[in-house]
Amino acid sequence: MRNAVGLDISQNTFDAAAIVNGQCKQALFDNSINGFESFKAWLDGFGCELHICMEATGNYFEDVADYIGQFYTVSVINPYKISEYGKSRFHRTKTDKQDARLIAEYCHTAMQKDLPARQKISIGHYRLKRLLALYDQLKTQKTAQKNRLKVAKDDFVRKIHQAQIQELDQHIQQVEEEIQAITNSNQDLKAVSDRLQTIPAIGKLTAAILTNYLLSGDFKTANQFTAFAGLNPQQKESGTSVKGRSSMTRYGNRRLKSALFMPAMVALNRNYFPDFVKRLNAKNKPKMLILGALMRKLLVVAYHVYKTQKPYNPQRYKPA
Protein backbone atom coordinates (compact mmCIF):
# COMPACT_ATOMS: atom_id res chain seq x y z
CA MET A 1 0.00 0.00 0.00
CA ARG A 2 1.16 3.51 -0.79
CA ASN A 3 0.87 6.86 0.95
CA ALA A 4 -2.03 8.48 -0.86
CA VAL A 5 -4.06 11.67 -1.11
CA GLY A 6 -7.63 11.94 -2.35
CA LEU A 7 -9.17 15.16 -3.64
CA ASP A 8 -12.86 16.01 -3.93
CA ILE A 9 -12.95 19.11 -6.14
CA SER A 10 -15.63 21.74 -6.67
CA GLN A 11 -15.59 25.02 -8.55
CA ASN A 12 -14.20 27.14 -5.71
CA THR A 13 -12.62 24.74 -3.21
CA PHE A 14 -11.32 21.20 -2.86
CA ASP A 15 -11.20 18.84 0.10
CA ALA A 16 -8.00 16.83 0.56
CA ALA A 17 -7.58 13.62 2.57
CA ALA A 18 -4.09 12.17 3.09
CA ILE A 19 -3.48 8.61 4.27
CA VAL A 20 0.13 8.46 5.45
CA ASN A 21 1.52 5.57 7.49
CA GLY A 22 -2.02 4.43 8.25
CA GLN A 23 -3.15 7.80 9.58
CA CYS A 24 -5.67 10.07 7.81
CA LYS A 25 -5.44 13.86 7.88
CA GLN A 26 -7.76 16.24 6.04
CA ALA A 27 -7.78 19.88 4.96
CA LEU A 28 -9.73 22.29 2.75
CA PHE A 29 -8.11 24.52 0.08
CA ASP A 30 -9.20 27.14 -2.44
CA ASN A 31 -9.35 25.99 -6.06
CA SER A 32 -6.94 28.77 -7.09
CA ILE A 33 -3.21 29.31 -7.46
CA ASN A 34 -2.96 30.44 -3.82
CA GLY A 35 -4.83 27.32 -2.77
CA PHE A 36 -2.55 25.12 -4.88
CA GLU A 37 0.54 26.61 -3.24
CA SER A 38 -0.93 26.04 0.23
CA PHE A 39 -1.85 22.49 -0.78
CA LYS A 40 1.72 21.79 -1.93
CA ALA A 41 3.12 23.13 1.35
CA TRP A 42 0.69 20.85 3.22
CA LEU A 43 1.85 17.83 1.17
CA ASP A 44 5.52 18.72 1.60
CA GLY A 45 4.97 18.69 5.35
CA PHE A 46 4.45 14.92 5.28
CA GLY A 47 8.03 14.50 4.07
CA CYS A 48 7.38 11.41 1.97
CA GLU A 49 6.41 10.22 -1.51
CA LEU A 50 2.69 10.66 -2.16
CA HIS A 51 0.29 9.57 -4.91
CA ILE A 52 -2.52 12.08 -5.57
CA CYS A 53 -5.88 10.84 -6.89
CA MET A 54 -9.00 12.72 -8.01
CA GLU A 55 -12.11 11.95 -10.03
CA ALA A 56 -12.51 12.80 -13.72
CA THR A 57 -15.61 14.95 -13.27
CA GLY A 58 -16.17 18.18 -15.17
CA ASN A 59 -13.07 20.28 -15.66
CA TYR A 60 -12.63 21.65 -12.13
CA PHE A 61 -9.79 19.19 -11.50
CA GLU A 62 -7.61 20.32 -14.40
CA ASP A 63 -5.82 23.29 -12.85
CA VAL A 64 -4.91 21.60 -9.59
CA ALA A 65 -3.87 18.44 -11.46
CA ASP A 66 -1.59 20.46 -13.74
CA TYR A 67 -0.04 22.36 -10.84
CA ILE A 68 0.52 19.56 -8.34
CA GLY A 69 1.52 17.11 -11.10
CA GLN A 70 4.78 19.06 -11.39
CA PHE A 71 5.78 17.79 -7.94
CA TYR A 72 3.81 14.61 -7.24
CA THR A 73 2.35 11.68 -9.19
CA VAL A 74 -1.28 12.39 -10.09
CA SER A 75 -3.94 9.95 -11.28
CA VAL A 76 -7.40 10.95 -12.52
CA ILE A 77 -9.85 8.13 -11.77
CA ASN A 78 -13.08 7.11 -13.45
CA PRO A 79 -15.89 8.16 -11.03
CA TYR A 80 -17.62 4.81 -11.60
CA LYS A 81 -14.63 3.02 -10.06
CA ILE A 82 -14.81 5.21 -6.97
CA SER A 83 -18.56 4.67 -6.72
CA GLU A 84 -18.22 0.89 -6.92
CA TYR A 85 -15.35 0.95 -4.45
CA GLY A 86 -17.56 2.93 -2.06
CA LYS A 87 -20.30 0.29 -2.37
CA SER A 88 -17.80 -2.46 -1.62
CA ARG A 89 -16.87 -0.60 1.57
CA PHE A 90 -20.54 0.00 2.47
CA HIS A 91 -19.82 3.72 2.21
CA ARG A 92 -23.11 5.58 2.64
CA THR A 93 -22.18 9.05 3.88
CA LYS A 94 -22.10 11.64 1.09
CA THR A 95 -20.11 14.76 1.96
CA ASP A 96 -17.14 16.38 0.23
CA LYS A 97 -14.94 15.49 3.19
CA GLN A 98 -15.99 11.84 3.17
CA ASP A 99 -15.69 11.64 -0.61
CA ALA A 100 -12.10 12.90 -0.41
CA ARG A 101 -11.32 10.20 2.16
CA LEU A 102 -12.95 7.52 -0.01
CA ILE A 103 -10.83 8.58 -3.01
CA ALA A 104 -7.73 8.52 -0.78
CA GLU A 105 -8.59 4.99 0.40
CA TYR A 106 -9.00 3.82 -3.19
CA CYS A 107 -5.68 5.45 -4.12
CA HIS A 108 -4.07 3.86 -1.05
CA THR A 109 -5.17 0.30 -1.90
CA ALA A 110 -5.54 0.13 -5.71
CA MET A 111 -3.19 -1.91 -7.86
CA GLN A 112 -0.53 0.14 -9.62
CA LYS A 113 -1.94 -0.74 -13.07
CA ASP A 114 -5.20 0.98 -12.09
CA LEU A 115 -3.41 4.26 -11.31
CA PRO A 116 -1.90 5.56 -14.57
CA ALA A 117 -0.02 8.78 -14.02
CA ARG A 118 -1.61 11.85 -15.59
CA GLN A 119 0.52 13.85 -18.01
CA LYS A 120 0.27 17.63 -18.18
CA ILE A 121 -1.15 18.52 -21.57
CA SER A 122 -0.64 21.44 -23.94
CA ILE A 123 -3.10 24.25 -24.65
CA GLY A 124 -3.83 22.68 -28.05
CA HIS A 125 -4.47 19.32 -26.42
CA TYR A 126 -6.85 20.93 -23.93
CA ARG A 127 -8.80 22.38 -26.84
CA LEU A 128 -8.95 18.98 -28.56
CA LYS A 129 -10.18 17.44 -25.32
CA ARG A 130 -12.99 19.99 -25.01
CA LEU A 131 -14.00 19.64 -28.64
CA LEU A 132 -14.23 15.87 -28.21
CA ALA A 133 -16.39 16.38 -25.11
CA LEU A 134 -18.67 18.71 -27.11
CA TYR A 135 -18.85 16.16 -29.93
CA ASP A 136 -19.95 13.48 -27.45
CA GLN A 137 -22.59 15.81 -25.98
CA LEU A 138 -24.03 16.66 -29.40
CA LYS A 139 -24.18 12.98 -30.38
CA THR A 140 -26.03 12.22 -27.14
CA GLN A 141 -28.49 15.05 -27.81
CA LYS A 142 -29.07 13.77 -31.36
CA THR A 143 -29.83 10.26 -30.09
CA ALA A 144 -32.32 11.70 -27.60
CA GLN A 145 -34.04 13.74 -30.33
CA LYS A 146 -34.24 10.72 -32.65
CA ASN A 147 -35.87 8.71 -29.86
CA ARG A 148 -38.41 11.48 -29.29
CA LEU A 149 -39.12 11.63 -33.03
CA LYS A 150 -39.90 7.90 -33.08
CA VAL A 151 -42.68 8.24 -30.52
CA ALA A 152 -44.04 11.64 -31.63
CA LYS A 153 -47.66 11.42 -32.85
CA ASP A 154 -48.21 15.05 -33.77
CA ASP A 155 -47.04 16.44 -37.15
CA PHE A 156 -45.94 19.74 -35.64
CA VAL A 157 -43.97 17.97 -32.89
CA ARG A 158 -42.30 15.72 -35.46
CA LYS A 159 -41.39 18.74 -37.57
CA ILE A 160 -39.68 20.43 -34.58
CA HIS A 161 -37.73 17.27 -33.70
CA GLN A 162 -36.61 16.85 -37.32
CA ALA A 163 -35.45 20.48 -37.45
CA GLN A 164 -33.48 20.00 -34.22
CA ILE A 165 -31.86 16.83 -35.58
CA GLN A 166 -30.83 18.69 -38.75
CA GLU A 167 -29.37 21.52 -36.67
CA LEU A 168 -27.48 19.04 -34.49
CA ASP A 169 -26.10 17.36 -37.62
CA GLN A 170 -24.75 20.73 -38.78
CA HIS A 171 -23.13 21.37 -35.39
CA ILE A 172 -21.64 17.87 -35.31
CA GLN A 173 -20.09 18.41 -38.74
CA GLN A 174 -18.69 21.78 -37.62
CA VAL A 175 -17.15 20.20 -34.52
CA GLU A 176 -15.64 17.36 -36.59
CA GLU A 177 -14.04 19.94 -38.88
CA GLU A 178 -12.71 21.90 -35.89
CA ILE A 179 -11.28 18.71 -34.37
CA GLN A 180 -9.36 18.08 -37.58
CA ALA A 181 -8.24 21.71 -37.74
CA ILE A 182 -6.77 21.69 -34.22
CA THR A 183 -5.19 18.27 -34.76
CA ASN A 184 -3.54 19.35 -38.02
CA SER A 185 -2.33 22.66 -36.59
CA ASN A 186 -0.56 21.09 -33.60
CA GLN A 187 2.64 19.22 -34.49
CA ASP A 188 2.51 16.77 -31.56
CA LEU A 189 -1.18 15.94 -32.05
CA LYS A 190 -0.77 15.56 -35.80
CA ALA A 191 2.23 13.24 -35.55
CA VAL A 192 0.39 10.82 -33.26
CA SER A 193 -2.91 11.06 -35.15
CA ASP A 194 -1.31 10.46 -38.55
CA ARG A 195 0.45 7.31 -37.34
CA LEU A 196 -2.74 5.98 -35.74
CA GLN A 197 -4.61 6.44 -39.02
CA THR A 198 -2.29 3.88 -40.65
CA ILE A 199 -4.08 1.21 -38.57
CA PRO A 200 -6.88 -0.51 -40.53
CA ALA A 201 -10.37 0.77 -39.60
CA ILE A 202 -9.02 3.77 -37.62
CA GLY A 203 -10.31 6.98 -39.19
CA LYS A 204 -9.63 10.62 -38.39
CA LEU A 205 -12.11 11.00 -35.56
CA THR A 206 -11.15 7.76 -33.80
CA ALA A 207 -7.49 8.69 -34.21
CA ALA A 208 -8.17 12.05 -32.55
CA ILE A 209 -9.91 10.32 -29.61
CA LEU A 210 -7.06 7.83 -29.21
CA THR A 211 -4.51 10.64 -29.45
CA ASN A 212 -6.26 12.51 -26.64
CA TYR A 213 -6.10 9.58 -24.23
CA LEU A 214 -2.64 8.32 -25.19
CA LEU A 215 -1.16 11.77 -24.57
CA SER A 216 -3.10 12.27 -21.33
CA GLY A 217 -1.84 9.28 -19.32
CA ASP A 218 1.49 7.62 -18.67
CA PHE A 219 0.44 4.08 -19.55
CA LYS A 220 3.36 1.73 -18.89
CA THR A 221 1.92 -1.25 -20.79
CA ALA A 222 -0.74 -2.05 -23.38
CA ASN A 223 -2.65 -3.96 -20.68
CA GLN A 224 -2.76 -0.83 -18.56
CA PHE A 225 -4.23 1.10 -21.48
CA THR A 226 -6.86 -1.56 -22.20
CA ALA A 227 -7.76 -1.69 -18.50
CA PHE A 228 -8.20 2.10 -18.55
CA ALA A 229 -10.62 1.69 -21.46
CA GLY A 230 -12.45 -1.19 -19.77
CA LEU A 231 -11.59 -3.62 -22.57
CA ASN A 232 -10.01 -6.32 -20.46
CA PRO A 233 -12.30 -9.40 -20.38
CA GLN A 234 -13.85 -10.68 -17.16
CA GLN A 235 -13.84 -14.41 -16.39
CA LYS A 236 -16.79 -15.80 -14.41
CA GLU A 237 -15.68 -19.09 -12.91
CA SER A 238 -16.05 -20.50 -9.42
CA GLY A 239 -15.37 -24.11 -8.48
CA THR A 240 -16.91 -26.63 -10.84
CA SER A 241 -20.44 -25.27 -11.06
CA VAL A 242 -20.06 -21.62 -12.09
CA LYS A 243 -18.67 -21.17 -15.58
CA GLY A 244 -20.13 -17.99 -17.00
CA ARG A 245 -19.43 -16.50 -20.40
CA SER A 246 -16.53 -14.05 -20.58
CA SER A 247 -17.60 -10.43 -20.93
CA MET A 248 -16.14 -6.95 -20.93
CA THR A 249 -15.85 -5.22 -17.59
CA ARG A 250 -18.25 -2.36 -16.81
CA TYR A 251 -15.31 -0.30 -15.62
CA GLY A 252 -13.26 1.90 -17.89
CA ASN A 253 -13.56 5.01 -19.97
CA ARG A 254 -16.93 5.00 -21.73
CA ARG A 255 -15.94 7.43 -24.48
CA LEU A 256 -12.80 5.53 -25.40
CA LYS A 257 -14.58 2.20 -25.39
CA SER A 258 -17.53 3.39 -27.50
CA ALA A 259 -15.18 5.06 -30.01
CA LEU A 260 -13.76 1.64 -30.91
CA PHE A 261 -17.04 -0.17 -31.58
CA MET A 262 -17.55 0.99 -35.18
CA PRO A 263 -13.86 0.51 -36.12
CA ALA A 264 -14.14 -3.04 -34.77
CA MET A 265 -17.24 -3.59 -36.94
CA VAL A 266 -15.33 -2.34 -39.97
CA ALA A 267 -12.34 -4.56 -39.13
CA LEU A 268 -14.65 -7.58 -38.86
CA ASN A 269 -16.65 -6.88 -42.01
CA ARG A 270 -13.55 -6.16 -44.10
CA ASN A 271 -11.58 -9.05 -42.58
CA TYR A 272 -8.59 -6.91 -41.61
CA PHE A 273 -7.38 -9.48 -39.05
CA PRO A 274 -8.35 -12.83 -40.64
CA ASP A 275 -6.18 -15.17 -38.56
CA PHE A 276 -7.24 -13.54 -35.31
CA VAL A 277 -10.96 -13.79 -36.14
CA LYS A 278 -10.56 -17.32 -37.54
CA ARG A 279 -9.18 -18.56 -34.21
CA LEU A 280 -12.09 -16.99 -32.31
CA ASN A 281 -14.63 -18.49 -34.70
CA ALA A 282 -12.99 -21.90 -34.30
CA LYS A 283 -13.71 -21.62 -30.57
CA ASN A 284 -17.38 -20.80 -31.36
CA LYS A 285 -17.13 -17.35 -29.86
CA PRO A 286 -20.27 -15.19 -30.36
CA LYS A 287 -20.11 -12.14 -32.60
CA MET A 288 -20.28 -9.62 -29.76
CA LEU A 289 -17.33 -11.25 -28.01
CA ILE A 290 -15.37 -11.19 -31.29
CA LEU A 291 -16.17 -7.49 -31.66
CA GLY A 292 -14.98 -6.89 -28.12
CA ALA A 293 -11.77 -8.77 -28.85
CA LEU A 294 -11.23 -6.67 -31.98
CA MET A 295 -11.81 -3.48 -30.01
CA ARG A 296 -9.14 -4.59 -27.57
CA LYS A 297 -6.79 -5.58 -30.39
CA LEU A 298 -7.16 -2.19 -32.08
CA LEU A 299 -6.40 -0.50 -28.77
CA VAL A 300 -3.28 -2.66 -28.22
CA VAL A 301 -2.06 -1.93 -31.77
CA ALA A 302 -2.71 1.79 -31.24
CA TYR A 303 -0.68 1.70 -28.03
CA HIS A 304 2.31 0.05 -29.76
CA VAL A 305 2.12 2.40 -32.75
CA TYR A 306 2.16 5.32 -30.31
CA LYS A 307 5.02 3.94 -28.20
CA THR A 308 7.24 2.89 -31.10
CA GLN A 309 6.48 6.09 -33.05
CA LYS A 310 6.23 3.95 -36.19
CA PRO A 311 3.26 3.43 -38.52
CA TYR A 312 1.21 0.25 -38.52
CA ASN A 313 3.09 -2.80 -39.77
CA PRO A 314 0.64 -5.40 -41.18
CA GLN A 315 3.23 -8.15 -41.08
CA ARG A 316 3.56 -7.75 -37.32
CA TYR A 317 -0.10 -7.47 -36.34
CA LYS A 318 -2.25 -9.37 -38.86
CA PRO A 319 -1.21 -12.88 -37.83
CA ALA A 320 -1.47 -12.10 -34.11
Side-chain angles (χ1 to χ4, degrees):
M1 294 186 182
R2 63 189 65 80
N3 292 323
V5 178
L7 303 184
D8 186 77
I9 305 171
S10 62
Q11 182 176 3
N12 298 317
T13 61
F14 62 93
D15 282 87
I19 299 177
V20 179
N21 298 325
Q23 300 295 315
C24 182
K25 295 186 178 182
Q26 297 194 243
L28 178 68
F29 301 93
D30 289 337
N31 196 356
S32 66
I33 186 61
N34 290 334
F36 304 158
E37 291 172 350
S38 298
F39 176 50
K40 180 182 180 297
W42 185 69
L43 295 177
D44 292 345
F46 291 108
C48 62
E49 184 177 346
L50 296 165
H51 197 121
I52 319 297
C53 289
M54 59 197 74
E55 289 182 315
T57 52
N59 56 17
Y60 296 145
F61 72 89
E62 292 174 351
D63 290 341
V64 64
D66 283 345
Y67 178 87
I68 209 64
Q70 301 173 84
F71 313 103
Y72 292 92
T73 302
V74 171
S75 293
V76 180
I77 310 300
N78 186 328
Y80 183 77
K81 284 190 175 184
I82 302 297
S83 175
E84 290 299 295
Y85 177 76
K87 291 177 184 177
S88 74
R89 298 294 302 271
F90 301 100
H91 178 81
R92 295 184 178 88
T93 304
K94 182 67 176 174
T95 66
D96 293 344
K97 197 171 182 179
Q98 287 298 319
D99 285 349
R101 178 161 185 160
L102 182 67
I103 296 168
E105 289 175 359
Y106 175 85
C107 193
H108 180 57
T109 59
M111 296 178 66
Q112 192 60 44
K113 69 180 181 65
D114 293 324
L115 297 174
R118 181 182 186 271
Q119 303 294 297
K120 185 173 181 179
I121 64 179
S122 66
I123 294 174
H125 188 174
Y126 263 131
R127 187 149 192 273
L128 173 63
K129 178 181 177 180
R130 286 161 185 157
L131 287 169
L132 289 170
L134 175 59
Y135 177 84
D136 190 63
Q137 292 162 7
L138 292 173
K139 294 286 284 188
T140 300
Q141 291 175 28
K142 180 181 174 181
T143 299
Q145 288 295 341
K146 289 174 71 174
N147 290 336
R148 295 184 186 108
L149 178 61
K150 286 181 182 178
V151 299
K153 296 182 179 180
D154 183 274
D155 288 342
F156 179 79
V157 173
R158 282 196 294 270
K159 183 179 178 180
I160 294 298
H161 285 317
Q162 287 169 342
Q164 289 181 320
I165 291 170
Q166 290 175 359
E167 185 176 2
L168 285 167
D169 280 334
Q170 292 174 359
H171 290 321
I172 288 169
Q173 183 178 352
Q174 290 172 350
V175 174
E176 288 178 345
E177 292 171 355
E178 195 64 19
I179 287 171
Q180 292 311 308
I182 190 63
T183 301
N184 291 332
S185 66
N186 184 293
Q187 185 176 354
D188 293 336
L189 298 177
K190 187 177 189 307
V192 176
S193 178
D194 285 351
R195 282 193 291 269
L196 291 173
Q197 288 177 59
T198 65
I199 303 170
I202 300 297
K204 292 181 179 180
L205 183 61
T206 306
I209 294 170
L210 288 167
T211 297
N212 172 44
Y213 289 110
L214 284 165
L215 290 175
S216 295
D218 183 19
F219 301 101
K220 302 298 185 184
T221 65
N223 283 340
Q224 194 176 32
F225 191 39
T226 57
F228 170 79
L231 287 172
N232 44 338
Q234 283 183 316
Q235 293 294 122
K236 296 181 180 179
E237 294 185 0
S238 179
T240 59
S241 60
V242 179
K243 293 188 180 295
R245 178 178 292 177
S246 297
S247 62
M248 290 296 172
T249 175
R250 293 178 297 166
Y251 299 116
N253 188 287
R254 177 185 60 83
R255 289 178 181 170
L256 181 54
K257 188 188 297 184
S258 63
L260 290 162
F261 182 76
M262 286 308 298
M265 284 284 289
V266 172
L268 180 63
N269 293 335
R270 298 186 181 179
N271 203 25
Y272 284 140
F273 301 100
D275 296 338
F276 181 73
V277 174
K278 184 178 180 180
R279 286 199 303 273
L280 293 173
N281 281 323
K283 296 177 183 178
N284 296 316
K285 300 297 184 182
K287 183 178 178 180
M288 288 306 297
L289 192 146
I290 293 175
L291 283 171
L294 282 169
M295 289 165 67
R296 185 180 189 279
K297 183 176 182 64
L298 288 170
L299 204 64
V300 169
V301 173
Y303 175 84
H304 287 298
V305 165
Y306 167 67
K307 283 293 185 179
T308 61
Q309 298 185 17
K310 296 178 181 179
Y312 172 77
N313 180 353
Q315 299 307 315
R316 174 177 180 180
Y317 296 109
K318 274 193 177 180

